[in-house]
Amino acid sequence: MGADSKVTPDASVSIDLLPAVIDAGVADAPIGGAAGFDGSTDGGGNAAADGAGSDATVGMAVDTGAKAALVLGTFTHVRSPDWSFSESAELATARATLESAFSITWRATDDLTALATSDAQGVILGSGAHDNNVSISVLSSAEQTALASYVNAGHFAIILTDNDGFHDGNESLAMTFGLTTSGTLGDLQTATVTQAHAITAGLTTFSLWWPGSVSGESTKSTVLATTSLGTLLMVFEKGALAPGSGVVIEMADQAQFLDSVPFGVTPEGGALAKKLLLNMVHYASGL
């Protein structure tokens, strides 16, 4: 499958950082003007309140009833062209799954130093930029510091690394939390849940596509699922990384959430992938 084929990442790829914002429900919108991570413009560069429209409520997306409001940060398609949770067609099912459960306002950015002034309650970040093992441009030291400070201030982070084909992007995200990534398992794989937890509720196994593994911080984190490579899914609970720090979830596979794989990898895996994704966001956010 092209999403994780064995191609050496192109370390020369340079992506200009242009912070931008996109509101919930807008897929693959063009990046607009020089918007900040604070939501000062919508994805087309037009001035907009959160949840633009006559039913908009400041601080949340368009009112959809009883769903909890969640402001969620992620990369734009400039930083992650194919694998942006808020903008890319590849993540359409994942995005729809989240928006079915939460009233989401997306805060998409190219530069994580903007987290210092963001109103996002948490972030969901992946290491992949394109299929064929092209990772995101690596996090700068300033971005790693900003992400660590953001979590230490009580915000949550869901970090999705992948196999060694995405090594540079993997490591720049994982090392922020004292972790390292390694290895590649080809084709269809199965993760085995090893620890009962709200994140793995309703799951005993789930499907993967070309995953990697993650290790480190064994005294601070809890391993939730493994493969033959080792740890696939782990969690840092509230306060584990620093007094008052937020939840951090790390999983070494993003491909199961891509529509081209397809979503969930197998026909029966789709429901499990939705359950896992919702479990992660529900638990990390506390909503």
Side-chain angles (χ1 to χ4, degrees):
M1 180 70 193
D4 288 288
S5 57
K6 293 298 292 177
V7 177
T8 302
D10 183 1
S12 67
V13 173
S14 175
I15 300 178
D16 293 332
L17 302 182
L18 177 64
V21 170
I22 184 167
D23 286 331
V26 182
D28 299 304
I31 298 301
F37 203 37
D38 61 353
S40 55
T41 72
D42 66 13
N46 303 311
D50 293 331
S54 60
D55 295 326
T57 300
V58 174
M60 62 180 288
V62 175
D63 184 13
T64 53
K67 293 187 290 188
L70 176 63
V71 183
L72 188 58
T74 191
F75 288 131
T76 65
H77 70 245
V78 174
R79 188 74 178 267
S80 182
D82 291 338
W83 293 11
S84 164
F85 266 85
S86 64
E87 299 178 29
S88 298
E90 283 271 31
L91 275 297
T93 300
R95 182 165 56 250
T97 297
L98 293 176
E99 291 174 355
S100 72
F102 302 94
S103 182
I104 293 182
T105 299
W106 292 100
R107 296 289 188 239
T109 188
D110 307 321
D111 184 353
L112 294 184
T113 61
L115 286 172
T117 57
S118 172
D119 64 346
Q121 294 154 261
V123 293
I124 181 165
L125 304 172
S127 62
H130 293 284
D131 296 352
N132 297 317
N133 294 346
V134 179
S135 75
I136 57 168
S137 56
V138 300
L139 272 63
S140 66
S141 59
E143 286 186 294
Q144 290 173 334
T145 298
L147 180 55
S149 297
Y150 177 77
V151 167
N152 288 346
H155 304 285
F156 71 86
I158 298 171
I159 306 298
L160 302 174
T161 56
D162 215 284
N163 65 57
D164 251 355
F166 301 90
H167 180 267
D168 292 348
N170 290 344
E171 287 293 281
S172 71
L173 280 169
M175 69 174 58
T176 304
F177 305 107
L179 303 173
T180 187
T181 63
S182 63
T184 300
L185 287 175
D187 300 310
L188 174 63
Q189 301 292 331
T190 300
T192 300
V193 173
T194 57
Q195 177 69 44
H197 194 281
I199 294 170
T200 54
L203 303 167
T204 56
T205 63
F206 53 93
S207 298
L208 307 168
W209 188 250
W210 289 80
S213 69
V214 61
S215 60
E217 295 286 15
S218 60
T219 61
K220 296 182 179 181
S221 61
T222 302
V223 175
L224 301 180
T226 62
T227 67
S228 60
L229 277 179
T231 299
L232 182 282
L233 174 64
M234 64 164 59
V235 61
F236 294 89
E237 303 287 3
K238 287 184 178 180
L241 290 167
S245 63
V247 171
V248 175
I249 299 169
E250 155 64 28
M251 186 167 68
D253 182 48
Q254 186 175 350
Q256 66 170 300
F257 299 133
L258 302 178
D259 283 353
S260 63
V261 168
F263 185 89
V265 187
T266 65
E268 63 275 13
L272 299 181
K274 289 180 179 180
K275 183 182 293 291
L276 177 60
L277 182 59
L278 289 174
N279 283 354
M280 288 195 292
V281 176
H282 274 295
Y283 184 76
S285 67
L287 296 175

